[in-house]
Amino acid sequence: SRKTGGGCRWRGCVGELAAHLRSECEIHNARMRCVHAPRQMAWWRHHGTMAEETAGCAWIGRHWERAAHLEECGMVPERCPNGGPGGCQEMHLRKDLAEHMVSTCDFRLVCCKHCGMQSLFVVCDHHEDSCPDEKIECPNEG
């Protein structure tokens, strides 16, 4: 095999490629950090879209493993989808997003304690204050 310009610079026959990638490829086998490592997470904190305590991802792996890692990485910032286009829009780490969506998001779905109707948390109090199914006692004493 001989080397050519750019990247790994390996050049050989198709039948030799698998062996090259397994053993000697400088790019394919290079160890690298996740793109959401602490240094990169500082950008998100600086721009006010991540909490200060966000540390970043500690993953270190091979170049060819990165795509699979990113599919599962809990440190990927994602926008909350609750409420649709005019809804929440808050940024949370993937690992925290599910908890936010069901526990603290103003645009999460909740059920009226009187009738069971689903509504957004942000408007639930208004509905519950005027729900026709609210149980009350007769105001007349006697």
Side-chain angles (χ1 to χ4, degrees), residues 110-117 119-136:
V110 294
C111 293
C112 172
K113 61 186 174 188
H114 307 298
C115 69
M117 183 183 93
S119 64
L120 297 177
F121 177 79
V122 73
V123 295
C124 183
D125 284 344
H126 175 72
H127 167 78
E128 286 184 351
D129 289 344
S130 59
C131 180
D133 289 352
E134 181 180 8
K135 305 293 186 246
I136 59 171

Side-chain angles (χ1 to χ4, degrees), residues 1-141:
S1 57
R2 56 191 178 112
K3 306 231 178 197
T4 184
C8 174
R9 300 190 305 265
W10 176 86
R11 186 176 177 145
C13 298
V14 172
E16 299 171 344
L17 179 60
H20 166 73
L21 292 175
R22 279 193 308 274
S23 62
E24 64 189 49
C25 180
E26 300 163 11
I27 305 300
H28 191 69
N29 291 309
R31 299 199 41 90
M32 58 186 353
R33 294 189 179 279
C34 178
V35 296
H36 301 292
R39 185 181 60 220
Q40 285 82 358
M41 295 307 287
W43 184 89
W44 290 98
R45 287 193 298 276
H46 176 74
H47 287 85
T49 56
M50 282 292 127
E52 194 58 40
E53 67 273 7
T54 301
C57 180
W59 180 86
I60 298 175
R62 306 232 184 263
H63 176 76
W64 57 271
E65 299 169 318
R66 186 173 65 168
H69 166 71
L70 289 175
E71 291 292 319
E72 300 175 352
C73 180
M75 303 307 279
V76 174
E78 293 185 347
R79 189 171 308 282
C80 176
N82 280 353
C88 179
Q89 303 298 307
E90 286 185 21
M91 294 294 287
H92 290 273
L93 297 178
R94 182 181 286 158
K95 70 181 186 67
D96 302 327
L97 185 59
E99 178 69 22
H100 163 76
M101 290 173 63
V102 299
S103 299
T104 61
C105 182
D106 286 343
F107 292 87
R108 68 187 182 271
L109 285 177
V110 294
C111 293
C112 172
K113 61 186 174 188
H114 307 298
C115 69
M117 183 183 93
Q118 282 192 329
S119 64
L120 297 177
F121 177 79
V122 73
V123 295
C124 183
D125 284 344
H126 175 72
H127 167 78
E128 286 184 351
D129 289 344
S130 59
C131 180
D133 289 352
E134 181 180 8
K135 305 293 186 246
I136 59 171
E137 294 181 12
C138 180
N140 295 325
E141 294 182 31

